[in-house]
Amino acid sequence: MRRIKAIITIVIVLLALAALGIAVHKVMQMMAPSTERVSLQEYFRIPEDEVLTIQDDTLAQKNVCVRDGYVYLPFSLVRELNDRFYWDEEMQHLIFTTGTEKHLITANESFYYLNDVKIEADCEILIEEAEELYISLDYVEDYIEGTISRNAFW
């Protein structure tokens, strides 16, 4: 009888250890890193119709505009990235200058002037929406410092 109690005790302890091992294994599987990728939209819980902007490794609280599939950055953000962009309130033009170039851009037009030569663009370069100015990412990305990852946009 004593021997049977010892065997039953050993079996119960082994079953408890097996159950504990299975539970630990399941928890480890849930907590361990995986190779599965999650989109930035899903990770940061950004709605489908909004665009995620990250500035200096932090989520920027800027209202990025999307129109006809083109991404537009707010003028204030572009100014932070390159202070050579100027808004001429009187003439209603955006002016951008380099050492050899002068860009003159009118709102809601798909062209601009580069040193007085008209250049056609694929989209409107400068839009005014809700009394805010937005500049096309396609235009401005060559003139701002830093890296722009389109993975965050598309």
Side-chain angles (χ1 to χ4, degrees), residues 122-142:
D122 293 335
C123 64
E124 293 175 348
I125 298 167
L126 177 69
I127 60 174
E128 191 169 1
E129 196 166 282
E131 297 186 27
E132 286 280 333
L133 292 173
Y134 294 90
I135 304 173
S136 167
L137 176 62
D138 289 346
Y139 169 78
V140 82
E141 68 184 337
D142 293 332

Side-chain angles (χ1 to χ4, degrees), residues 22-35:
I22 291 170
V24 167
H25 178 71
K26 291 287 186 187
V27 168
M28 293 292 288
Q29 277 183 329
M30 289 185 338
M31 303 297 264
S34 72
T35 57

Side-chain angles (χ1 to χ4, degrees), residues 15-76:
L15 288 174
L17 287 174
L20 180 63
I22 291 170
V24 167
H25 178 71
K26 291 287 186 187
V27 168
M28 293 292 288
Q29 277 183 329
M30 289 185 338
M31 303 297 264
S34 72
T35 57
E36 182 180 345
R37 295 272 185 175
V38 176
S39 73
L40 292 175
Q41 293 277 21
E42 186 178 336
Y43 181 80
F44 287 107
R45 295 186 178 114
I46 304 295
E48 284 291 321
D49 59 342
E50 292 184 21
V51 174
L52 174 70
T53 55
I54 298 174
Q55 184 179 2
D56 298 327
D57 295 328
T58 58
L59 188 60
Q61 300 300 320
K62 305 287 183 182
N63 295 327
V64 176
C65 179
V66 179
R67 184 189 280 180
D68 298 327
Y70 291 98
V71 176
Y72 291 85
L73 302 177
F75 177 70
S76 60

Side-chain angles (χ1 to χ4, degrees), residues 8 14 17 20 26 37 51 56 58 61 69 84 86 88 90 93 95-96 100 107 111 122 133-134 144-145:
I8 292 174
L14 288 176
L17 287 174
L20 180 63
K26 291 287 186 187
R37 295 272 185 175
V51 174
D56 298 327
T58 58
Q61 300 300 320
R84 291 182 174 212
Y86 301 96
D88 184 342
E90 184 178 316
H93 291 299
I95 301 168
F96 171 69
T100 59
F111 63 87
D122 293 335
L133 292 173
Y134 294 90
I144 58 177
E145 293 182 23

